Amino acid sequence: MPEKRISVGGQAVIEGVMMRSPTYYATAVRTPQGTIVIQKNRYEALTHRFRFLNVPIIRGAINLVEMMWIGIQSLSYSASQAAEDSDPKPKKSAATNLSIFGSVVFALGVGFLLFFYLPLWLTERFGIESSLGFNLVDGAFRLIIFLAYLFAIAQWKEMKRVFQYHGAEHKTIYAFENGQDLTVANARPYTTLHPRCGTSFLLVVMLVSMTIKRKLVPQRGWSVV
């Protein structure tokens, strides 16, 4: 009887990666001493526990919130382990979680201003009346700002290392999806690009939104997706 194929995803964290299956998520972190520590947690999505939530739109919003919560937990764990004075069994700190959550909220706010408001404001300066022309210019600004942002943070040594872990995660998923043992030798040949990557998804959304958005007010309105 063939094994049931499960969907696995994840994200890069500080000096490691977090991987999630439908029933567990695990975070592996390289400590300053060079050892790798792993924290495994059982987790069942709300959409699996409550079937009435497993409908389009609603399940997507719920999954987004759940992934943010898991991401915060994993980042908190990786930060404590990657620190020079880390404790092998760090105590959970509500203050640390709150700090990371605040950072995420701040980042979302900055992201809204940088990738939504700023492109609209710049496009308004051109006084474009055509809806299609407005959308194309707004989308071009958004895409340029996004790519420039990725290029800028990639120059930051610590963030570049996170990107490298991100690529390693993609290679590992490819090896897993092809039924291979999870070893460095098996993962190495695969590409760091993955079709389910969230960053790639953002690029696709930006390109698609350039053609499907509409201005609320033709003269000087705001574009909405």
Side-chain angles (χ1 to χ4, degrees):
M1 182 177 178
E3 294 184 2
K4 183 180 179 181
R5 187 169 181 175
I6 62 174
S7 177
V8 175
Q11 71 177 53
V13 294
I14 302 171
E15 285 299 313
V17 295
M18 179 275 290
M19 305 296 289
R20 178 189 176 186
S21 74
T23 53
Y24 284 92
Y25 71 93
T27 307
V29 183
R30 188 186 303 276
T31 68
Q33 293 74 33
T35 59
I36 296 177
V37 293
I38 299 175
Q39 181 188 66
K40 184 172 72 172
N41 298 281
R42 183 170 179 81
Y43 187 81
E44 186 177 5
L46 288 174
T47 53
H48 290 172
R49 283 183 282 171
F50 306 100
R51 294 296 179 180
F52 68 91
L53 296 176
N54 192 20
V55 294
I57 308 299
I58 293 178
R59 70 184 175 207
I62 292 175
N63 286 338
L64 177 62
V65 174
E66 286 183 326
M67 283 305 298
M68 286 183 62
W69 183 84
I70 291 175
I72 290 173
Q73 298 297 313
S74 300
L75 281 171
S76 176
Y77 175 75
S78 67
S80 65
Q81 291 293 342
E84 290 291 344
D85 58 347
S86 61
D87 187 333
K89 294 183 179 180
K91 297 179 180 179
K92 289 186 176 181
S93 170
T96 300
N97 288 340
L98 184 61
S99 175
I100 294 177
F101 179 77
S103 299
V104 171
V105 172
F106 175 77
L108 290 175
V110 172
F112 176 82
L113 293 175
L114 191 61
F115 303 120
F116 183 79
Y117 177 79
L118 181 58
L120 288 173
W121 182 84
L122 291 173
T123 306
E124 287 284 349
R125 307 282 73 77
F126 286 84
I128 300 173
E129 297 298 330
S130 166
S131 178
L132 178 59
F134 187 96
N135 292 337
L136 289 175
V137 173
D138 171 57
F141 273 128
R142 190 169 301 173
L143 192 60
I144 291 171
I145 292 172
F146 180 69
L147 293 176
Y149 168 79
L150 288 180
F151 176 79
I153 63 175
Q155 309 311 306
W156 182 15
K157 181 180 178 181
E158 287 77 7
M159 187 56 67
K160 185 176 182 179
R161 190 162 176 82
V162 171
F163 285 173
Q164 291 172 334
Y165 277 110
H166 189 185
E169 173 217 332
H170 289 173
K171 286 173 173 281
T172 303
I173 290 179
Y174 271 123
F176 175 80
E177 290 176 337
N178 283 279
Q180 297 181 296
D181 292 334
L182 297 182
T183 64
V184 174
N186 287 339
R188 194 185 300 278
Y190 292 102
T191 176
T192 57
L193 304 176
H194 197 282
R196 296 201 309 273
C197 175
T199 306
S200 300
F201 175 73
L202 286 177
L203 285 173
V204 172
V205 169
M206 288 182 181
L207 291 173
V208 172
S209 68
M210 293 171 68
T211 60
I212 66 173
K213 292 184 300 180
R214 293 295 181 269
K215 294 173 68 177
L216 291 178
V217 182
Q219 290 75 22
R220 300 187 64 80
W222 294 93
S223 293
V224 293
V225 175

